[in-house]
């Protein structure tokens, strides 16, 4: 798999993501700069990593969505390229209208840094094929604005098209209000585009890829991606 | 050409307003040989403030042990640096932002984090962890909930955004902090041991470069404010608090580290307290050169700023750098790429003077050497804290289980989850032990097996009762916490928080604490490599508890060897160290018996060393499943903390040693003790006996409850519920 990570001013989980991709593929991903206007040739996956692009001083991801590289990412996605947005990257994908909806402030109006559990609603995407359908895995969440919102019609359409990929759940897989710490509509933690190739999620599976650090719950996302492009 | 001088009367009056004592102002006159200009008076007053000059504390700080074969840079640089092997240096420091955090909690705490980060990355280190040591008043004191909330949000808001994990720290509550909370922030970074950047300017004619954010009118005289007591009009000091911009800091980190990959930098220092003044004076002073600045070139956020305002501004996220000639364009390109200001604002000279020009006028012209050498230095009078009489027998009013449930829910022992859930502890992908999982945080170094262990410690109530014993205990506990995860403790940073040094009893506390710390540092080979002093922590004449907060750093050769404190079933529990049932100044005494009395537990440094070295060796041999040092609350609280962390119970079968009351045995706070969970308790105890280390089998882990020797049973779930409920309820 040939992967690249985009760094924006204020991005701060690009190294975590590079580590996870390297764990799965054995190869360091290319690092791109937000002012780049073209992507490297032959790329399989572009990642928009977590962080506080432009300090989150405007709506999270809104400034980054206007970066020069975003036109190239739009074109890449339109050609069927795979795009992964994590946390601030998910917010950028929504701001860039590559995914529907928006990420609002957490319901409790506080930054939340804790483990959460994610139920895999679809295991037939390139991003979740490493998991069994219905599997539950643990991931770190660390965000102030992860409260997924879309209007009811959009949510119904997302459900009907099977685009809800991950939901916040209890460790035994119950999708309950108690498991939904940031207040997301319908416990949505991650969703994909209609062609399943653009995927955004709030939690950080890239922080659970090493048994010596915090377990390997998130590793199947990256090994699955590597297998998809093997 | 001389600057526009102040009228003599006006100058003397202003000097007093700026915090200079009359005799200090007389020294200014002697150095200049004339009345100062306004900007000059501003420079003298901040450089000679307690905050910048350490004038009351230096004579004592000099006595601290600062050397060891692994120390690369001790106190005197922006932060301390130690060799941790693999060609790497750990660079770290702790610093207070107490006064600003009281006036404006969010920004005060946020800029505290920002400032300490800059002290570390200015030396070429990538920050890998933040910790914070917080002391608050009682939550029902006026404004206190807002202060706690603002401080926690401020630390999180800054640390989360810059992307440095906040991995540990400590919190105490005591009414002595009602009018003066403490916010001590610590940053640890990693640099190649042979590429550490220092601050001494060199090279006559070399350009002086201003980096980072623009200069505004915020924080003017912040250092002076931090060198005075508070009174009822503290609200009026709000404009002296700086405003943080963590986004700019993140860009500054990346730009500086990128430039540091080249050979362009001669010297670099952040603009912290006293901003452009302290950075330019200290860099030129250390290098023995002169410096000329033209303030017309300083990037400014507001129009019409005067030289005085620019020199005294404490606007955040700024650095001063001396470049090699000819590297300006390359360096500027890096800073422009990161969308930061870059301006050449002056040159180094051979005059030995600092000369400030603004709009073609000389605003200051001061000889640098006397600014430092003639700085006030006080050996202030001290009065020893009287020793407290021994504590007599104290009856147990409620039994062990009831006391335990109350203790684990008390503010000083309850779960800190409400706080750490607001701090990103995982960013960077290297956090192997996060808050609550172990006695010290453990963070692996990227691309290495090696890991650092980090902790902050101090028990202020011990320090009040006996400052020397308290100073010894703070250092010993930091050493113990690092040991308890398997790390080899290497060095400390200290953050000395005390009241008004002009009061002999306060200065006596300071001197005694330093004596105790020195003894412990020496005995444990645990030198001080950096630190910070915060005095005048008083409001309306009431001082805080003496709080010498210790930040300790240790190393693990292999992150896989680290152990946490969470209990798992099927282990033998063994107590390491001797128990005498010391209840003086214990939390049991305060929370259950309602007394703050007696001397604190004595620290036997030889026993600390022997017991700790033994425990560490067993951990590194892979024989220990979990380990926890015993401190606040004593043995039963320690076991309960292990049980709650692992959601596993234990059957405790040990009988108290002869002559000890059960409550004294289970809640006494004797030092130099650990509880370990091991697979073979008998073998562990035999090894301890061979090493001359006291070891006592306590029982066995398993089940869902703590079962006490007398049959009393309390479920771990019930303890956890009490432990977790306190802080959310206090902050609701």
């Amino acid at each position: 798999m040939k992967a690249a990570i985009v760094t924006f001013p204020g991005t701060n989980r690009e190294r975590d993501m590079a580590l996870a991709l390297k764990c799965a593929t054995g190869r360091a991903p290319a690092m791109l700069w937000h002012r780049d206007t073209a992507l490297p040739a032959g790329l399989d996956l572009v990642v928009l990593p977590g962080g506080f692009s432009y300090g989150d001083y405007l709506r999270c991801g809104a400034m980054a969505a206007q970066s020069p590289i975003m036109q190239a990412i739009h074109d890449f996605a339109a050609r069927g390229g795979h795009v992964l947005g994590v946390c601030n990257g998910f917010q950028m994908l929504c701001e860039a209208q590559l995914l529907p909806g928006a990420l609002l402030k957490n319901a409790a109006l506080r930054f939340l840094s804790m483990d959460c559990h994610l139920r895999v609603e679809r295991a037939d995407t390139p991003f979740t094929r490493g998991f069994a359908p219905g599997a539950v895995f643990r991931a770190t969440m660390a965000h102030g604005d992860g409260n997924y919102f879309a209007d009811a019609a959009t949510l119904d359409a997302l459900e009907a098209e099977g685009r809800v990929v991950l939901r916040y759940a209890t460790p035994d897989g119950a999708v309950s209000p108690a498991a939904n710490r940031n207040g997301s509509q319908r416990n949505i933690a991650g969703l994909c585009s209609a062609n399943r190739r653009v995927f955004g999620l709030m939690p950080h599976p890239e922080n659970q890829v090493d048994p010596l650090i915090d377990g390997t719950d998130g590793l199947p996302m990256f090994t699955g991606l590597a297998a998809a492009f093997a | 050409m001389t600057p526009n001088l102040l009228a003599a009367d006006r100058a003397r009056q202003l000097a007093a307003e700026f915090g200079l004592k009359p005799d200090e102002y007389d020294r200014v006159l002697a150095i200049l040989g004339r009345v100062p200009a306004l900007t000059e008076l501003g420079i003298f007053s901040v450089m000679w403030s307690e905050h910048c000059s350490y004038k009351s504390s230096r004579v004592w700080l000099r006595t601290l042990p600062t050397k060891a074969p692994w120390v690369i840079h001790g106190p005197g640089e922006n932060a301390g640096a130690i060799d941790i092997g693999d060609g790497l240096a750990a660079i770290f420091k702790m610093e207070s932002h107490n006064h600003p955090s009281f006036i404006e909690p969010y920004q005060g705490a946020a800029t505290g984090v920002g400032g300490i980060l800059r002290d570390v990355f200015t030396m070429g280190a990538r920050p890998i962890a933040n910790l914070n040591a917080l002391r608050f008043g009682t939550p029902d004191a006026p404004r206190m909930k807002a202060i706690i909330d603002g401080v926690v949000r401020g630390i999180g808001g800054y640390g989360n955004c810059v992307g440095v994990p906040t991995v540990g720290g400590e919190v105490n509550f005591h009414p002595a902090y009602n009018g003066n909370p403490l916010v001590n922030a610590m940053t640890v970074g990693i640099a190649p041991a042979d590429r550490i950047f220092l601050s001494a300017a060199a090279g006559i004619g070399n350009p002086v470069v201003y980096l980072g954010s623009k200069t505004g009118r915020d924080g003017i005289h912040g250092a002076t404010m931090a060198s005075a007591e508070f009174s009822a009009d503290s609200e009026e000091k709000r404009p002296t608090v700086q405003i943080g911009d963590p986004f700019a800091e993140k860009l500054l980190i990346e730009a500086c580290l990128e430039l540091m990959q080249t050979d362009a930098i001669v010297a670099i220092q952040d603009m912290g307290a006293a901003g452009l003044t302290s950075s330019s004076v200290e860099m030129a002073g250390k290098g023995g050169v002169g410096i000329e600045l033209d303030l017309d070139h300083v990037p400014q956020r507001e129009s019409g700023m005067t030289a005085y305002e620019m020199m005294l501004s404490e606007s955040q996220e700024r650095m001063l750098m001396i470049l090699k000639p000819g590297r300006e364009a390359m360096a500027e390109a890096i800073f422009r790429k990161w969308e930061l200001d870059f301006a050449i604002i002056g040159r180094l000279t051979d005059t030995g003077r600092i000369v400030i020009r603004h709009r073609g006028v000389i605003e200051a012209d001061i000889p640098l050497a006397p600014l430092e050498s003639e700085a006030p230095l006080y050996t202030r009078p001290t009065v020893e804290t009287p020793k407290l009489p021994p504590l007599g027998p104290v009856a147990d009013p409620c039994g062990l289980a009831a006391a335990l449930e109350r203790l684990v829910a008390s503010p000083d022992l309850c779960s800190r989850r409400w706080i750490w859930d607001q701090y990103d502890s995982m960013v960077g992908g290297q956090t192997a032990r996060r808050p609550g999982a172990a006695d010290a945080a453990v963070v692996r170094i990227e691309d290495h097996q090696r890991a650092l262990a980090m902790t902050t410690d101090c028990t202020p109530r011990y320090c009040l009762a006996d400052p020397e014993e308290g100073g010894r205990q703070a250092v010993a506990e930091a050493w113990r916490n690092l040991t308890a995860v398997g790390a080899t403790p290497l060095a400390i940073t200290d953050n000395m928080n005390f009241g008004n040094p002009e009061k002999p009893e306060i200065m006596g506390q300071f001197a005694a604490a330093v004596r105790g710390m020195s003894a412990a540092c020496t005995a444990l080979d645990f030198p001080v490599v950096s630190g910070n002093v915060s005095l005048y922590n008083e409001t309306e004449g009431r001082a805080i508890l003496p709080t010498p907060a210790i930040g300790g750093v240790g190393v693990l050769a292999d992150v896989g060897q680290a152990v946490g404190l969470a209990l798992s079933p099927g282990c033998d529990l063994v107590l390491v160290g001797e128990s005498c049932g010391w209840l003086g100044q214990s939390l049991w005494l305060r929370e259950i018996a309602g007394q703050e009395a007696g001397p604190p537990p004595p620290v036997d440094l030889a026993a600390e060393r022997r017991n700790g070295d033994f425990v560490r060796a067993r951990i590194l041999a892979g024989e220990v499943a979990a380990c926890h040092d015993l401190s606040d609350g004593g043995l039963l609280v320690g076991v309960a903390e292990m049980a709650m962390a692992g959601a596993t119970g234990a059957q405790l079968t040990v009988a108290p040693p002869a002559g000890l009351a059960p409550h004294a045995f289970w809640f006494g706070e004797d030092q130099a003790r650990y509880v370990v969970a091991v697979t073979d308790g008998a073998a562990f105890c035999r090894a301890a006996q061979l090493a001359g280390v006291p070891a006592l089998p306590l029982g066995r882990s398993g089940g869902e409850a703590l079962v006490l020797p007398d049959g009393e049973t309390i479920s771990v779930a019930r303890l956890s519920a009490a432990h977790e409920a306190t802080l959310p309820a206090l902050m609701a």
Side-chain angles (χ1 to χ4, degrees):
Chain A
M1 176 174 66
K2 193 169 173 193
I5 299 173
V6 185
T7 303
F8 299 84
T11 292
N12 66 26
R13 262 187 167 86
E14 75 281 13
R15 300 140 68 84
D16 312 40
M17 182 57 71
L19 217 74
L21 289 169
K22 199 174 169 195
C23 254
T25 65
R27 275 204 302 170
M31 302 304 286
L32 308 181
W33 185 238
H34 68 117
R35 289 193 182 282
D36 295 346
T37 50
L39 303 179
L43 209 56
D44 296 312
L45 173 74
V46 176
V47 184
L48 307 180
F52 285 68
S53 57
Y54 294 95
D56 283 356
Y57 292 159
L58 195 57
R59 284 190 322 275
C60 305
M63 297 277 286
Q66 306 301 318
S67 292
I69 200 167
M70 288 308 284
Q71 186 55 51
I73 290 173
H74 271 283
D75 296 345
F76 179 69
R79 290 196 309 270
H82 290 74
V83 182
L84 169 63
V86 177
C87 199
N88 195 216
F90 184 18
Q91 295 162 339
M92 290 176 205
L93 290 175
C94 291
E95 286 289 341
Q97 302 193 1
L98 283 162
L99 289 173
L103 282 312
L104 310 183
K105 283 209 177 305
N106 294 342
L109 303 181
R110 281 187 193 278
F111 192 94
L112 293 175
S113 168
M114 54 186 58
D115 280 349
C116 61
H117 287 84
L118 302 171
R119 193 175 80 186
V120 178
E121 303 293 274
R122 303 189 61 120
D124 58 350
T125 79
F127 305 94
T128 49
R129 55 177 275 168
F131 297 99
V136 177
F137 68 100
R138 183 176 65 90
T140 291
M141 63 188 232
H143 56 245
D145 302 71
N147 178 356
Y148 182 74
F149 181 84
D151 60 40
T154 305
L155 291 169
D156 288 343
L158 285 172
E159 303 268 15
E161 294 168 28
R163 291 168 59 185
V164 176
V165 180
L166 298 173
R167 284 188 220 267
Y168 298 106
T170 61
D172 52 10
V175 173
S176 68
N180 189 23
R181 294 297 298 267
N182 59 24
S184 290
Q185 296 286 310
R186 304 187 190 182
N187 284 48
I188 291 172
L191 71 150
C192 67
S193 59
N195 69 357
R196 321 264 183 261
R197 293 183 174 193
V198 178
F199 174 54
L201 77 165
M202 282 313 296
H204 293 283
E206 73 272 25
N207 281 151
Q208 278 78 35
V209 296
D210 184 338
L212 286 176
I213 297 302
D214 194 39
T216 54
D217 282 60
L219 191 57
M221 184 168 293
F222 304 98
T223 50
L225 273 166
F229 295 104
Chain B
M1 198 161 69
T2 48
N4 289 322
L5 307 182
L6 291 160
D9 290 357
R10 176 72 182 137
R12 189 167 285 276
Q13 179 197 343
L14 269 180
E17 282 175 29
F18 291 177
L20 285 174
K21 302 279 189 286
D23 60 313
E24 293 173 347
Y25 178 65
D26 289 338
R27 289 190 199 207
V28 173
L29 294 180
I31 289 171
L32 292 175
R34 56 172 167 76
V35 174
L38 176 65
T39 303
E40 292 173 333
L41 187 59
I43 291 173
F44 274 101
S45 67
V46 292
M47 290 310 297
W48 289 1
S49 68
E50 188 67 59
H51 190 81
C52 291
S53 73
Y54 295 84
K55 58 191 170 190
S56 301
S57 58
R58 250 189 307 159
V59 293
W60 299 106
L61 297 177
R62 278 182 194 149
T63 66
L64 287 165
T66 59
K67 293 198 166 52
W70 52 89
V71 174
I72 302 172
H73 293 291
E77 283 302 331
N78 283 299
I82 55 171
D83 189 330
I84 56 164
D86 283 0
L88 299 168
I91 297 182
F92 62 99
K93 186 179 177 185
M94 179 154 49
E95 198 163 76
S96 64
H97 238 212
N98 304 334
H99 294 76
S101 300
F102 179 59
I103 299 172
E104 163 46 47
Y106 185 98
Q107 292 298 343
T111 54
V113 175
I116 194 62
L117 280 164
R118 283 192 298 284
D119 276 332
V120 166
F121 73 76
T122 192
M123 294 186 73
R126 178 172 285 282
I128 64 161
N130 282 331
L131 297 92
N132 52 81
L134 310 178
R135 319 282 164 189
F136 296 120
T138 45
D140 55 358
R143 277 189 72 219
M144 194 48 64
K145 260 168 71 169
I147 289 173
I148 297 170
D149 186 51
V151 165
V152 170
R153 282 181 190 270
I155 290 171
Y158 207 99
N160 298 342
C161 182
V162 295
V164 176
T166 302
V167 297
E170 56 176 337
V171 189
N172 286 136
F173 299 89
H174 193 281
Y177 303 106
N178 279 356
N180 204 316
L182 303 184
V183 175
N184 296 173
M186 172 172 169
T187 294
V188 183
I190 293 291
D194 59 355
R195 284 193 69 74
I196 294 174
F197 290 82
L198 304 180
S199 57
I204 307 306
N206 278 350
V208 178
V209 182
Y210 173 114
L211 304 170
S213 296
K214 291 178 171 41
T215 295
R217 289 193 171 96
D218 51 328
I220 290 173
H221 266 304
T224 309
M225 175 271 290
S227 305
E229 291 180 38
F230 278 135
S231 54
D233 64 356
S234 294
E235 274 293 289
E236 291 171 14
K237 294 189 173 171
R238 194 183 294 260
T240 58
V241 178
Q242 312 84 344
I243 307 298
D245 179 355
F247 172 57
E249 180 104 334
K250 171 67 174 165
L251 303 181
L252 197 54
I253 293 175
E254 299 304 332
C256 286
L257 292 179
E258 189 171 329
L259 181 60
M260 285 164 170
Q261 300 289 315
T262 73
D263 69 344
I265 300 173
V266 176
I268 182 165
Q269 175 161 336
D270 80 298
M271 295 192 214
L276 195 48
T277 292
S278 67
S279 53
S280 56
V281 166
E282 288 173 14
M283 291 180 80
K286 275 186 190 166
V289 296
I291 190 167
E292 274 189 25
L293 303 179
D294 186 341
L295 300 185
D296 294 1
H297 302 304
V298 169
Q300 294 160 50
R301 203 165 60 206
E302 304 171 51
S303 58
M305 288 187 71
T306 66
Y308 170 82
E309 289 169 330
M310 275 187 262
M311 290 306 290
L312 280 267
S313 163
E314 291 189 6
S315 291
Q316 299 289 291
E317 293 88 26
R318 303 179 301 162
M319 315 280 280
L320 199 65
M321 174 173 74
I322 312 298
L323 270 186
K324 288 184 186 165
R327 306 294 208 286
E328 295 91 332
M330 180 269 288
E332 179 164 5
I334 289 174
F335 279 80
R336 295 292 175 213
K337 171 187 153 190
W338 290 100
E339 301 175 31
L340 292 165
D341 273 301
F342 176 102
I344 296 171
I345 62 167
R347 302 269 160 197
L348 297 184
T349 67
D350 60 1
T351 63
R353 303 178 76 85
I354 179 165
V355 179
I356 309 291
R357 284 192 175 76
H358 186 218
R359 297 186 183 128
V361 175
I362 292 187
E363 298 282 357
D365 183 353
I366 303 172
L368 284 164
L371 184 54
E372 193 201 338
S373 64
E374 298 292 309
L377 180 63
Y378 298 127
T379 305
R380 296 196 186 274
T382 60
V383 168
E384 288 289 313
T385 303
K387 300 279 181 204
L388 293 173
L391 187 71
V394 184
D396 177 2
C398 66
L400 299 179
L404 177 63
E405 189 171 344
R406 273 166 62 190
L407 279 171
V408 298
S410 67
D412 271 355
L413 286 172
C414 70
S415 168
R416 273 68 178 116
R417 187 181 307 280
W418 182 88
I419 295 174
W420 76 57
D421 273 358
Q422 300 183 56
Y423 299 156
D424 189 344
S425 57
M426 299 298 288
V427 60
Q430 304 291 347
T431 307
R433 292 290 183 282
R434 49 173 129 175
D439 282 3
V442 178
V443 177
R444 185 176 62 185
I445 296 155
E446 205 172 306
D447 299 326
H448 293 264
Q449 282 300 99
R450 202 162 280 268
L452 290 185
M454 295 157 276
T455 180
T456 74
D457 292 288
C458 181
T459 312
R461 64 182 189 281
Y462 293 175
C463 297
L464 181 71
D466 182 339
E468 182 165 352
E469 204 65 79
R472 208 176 353 247
Q473 193 273 343
V475 173
E477 189 178 345
W479 189 86
R480 213 184 298 144
N481 279 327
L482 299 174
T483 294
V485 299
T488 302
L490 292 178
I492 63 169
T493 179
D494 59 7
N495 203 146
M496 309 292 288
N497 308 275
F498 289 78
N500 181 346
E502 296 163 43
K503 297 179 181 171
E505 59 276 22
I506 299 289
M507 213 53 227
Q509 291 174 342
F510 190 95
V514 168
R515 273 202 310 276
M517 288 163 57
S518 287
C521 290
T522 302
L524 302 172
D525 283 324
F526 202 30
V528 180
V529 296
S530 59
N532 170 249
V533 177
S534 172
L535 301 174
Y536 297 96
N537 288 292
E538 303 201 0
T539 295
E540 318 230 310
R542 284 189 299 277
I544 58 161
L545 304 184
T547 311
I550 303 298
V553 173
V555 70
L556 281 144
D558 179 353
V559 69
Q561 294 177 311
V563 299
L565 63 83
L567 211 53
S568 50
C571 290
D572 290 335
L573 294 178
V574 180
L575 169 65
V576 176
E578 200 165 356
S579 302
C580 306
W582 194 281
L583 287 175
Q585 297 301 331
S586 68
L587 282 184
W588 182 90
L589 188 68
R590 189 178 84 190
E591 300 292 328
I592 307 299
Q595 300 180 45
E596 294 183 64
V603 180
D604 176 343
L605 291 168
E608 286 286 355
R609 181 91 200 212
R610 192 167 52 241
N611 298 355
D613 286 348
F614 173 75
V615 166
R616 187 182 321 104
R618 308 274 53 95
I619 292 172
L620 296 182
E623 295 169 14
V624 177
C627 181
H628 188 22
D629 99 297
L630 294 184
S631 51
D632 283 347
L635 175 58
L636 193 54
V637 167
V639 172
E641 286 169 342
M642 296 175 80
M644 290 187 286
T648 298
Q651 177 105 32
L652 299 171
T653 48
V654 66
L660 278 193
H663 63 286
F665 173 66
W666 288 105
F667 296 115
E669 295 184 4
D670 302 280
Q671 300 292 297
R673 296 188 303 163
Y674 304 79
V675 172
V676 294
V678 294
T679 44
D680 186 347
F684 185 92
C685 289
R686 279 194 302 276
Q689 194 178 12
L690 283 176
V693 168
L696 182 67
L698 295 172
R700 210 167 152 71
S701 64
E704 293 179 346
L706 283 184
V707 182
L708 304 180
D710 65 0
E712 263 193 298
T713 295
I714 182 162
S715 85
V716 176
R718 180 179 168 138
L719 282 175
S720 285
H723 187 58
E724 296 292 345
T726 306
L727 217 39
L730 288 176
M731 295 306 298

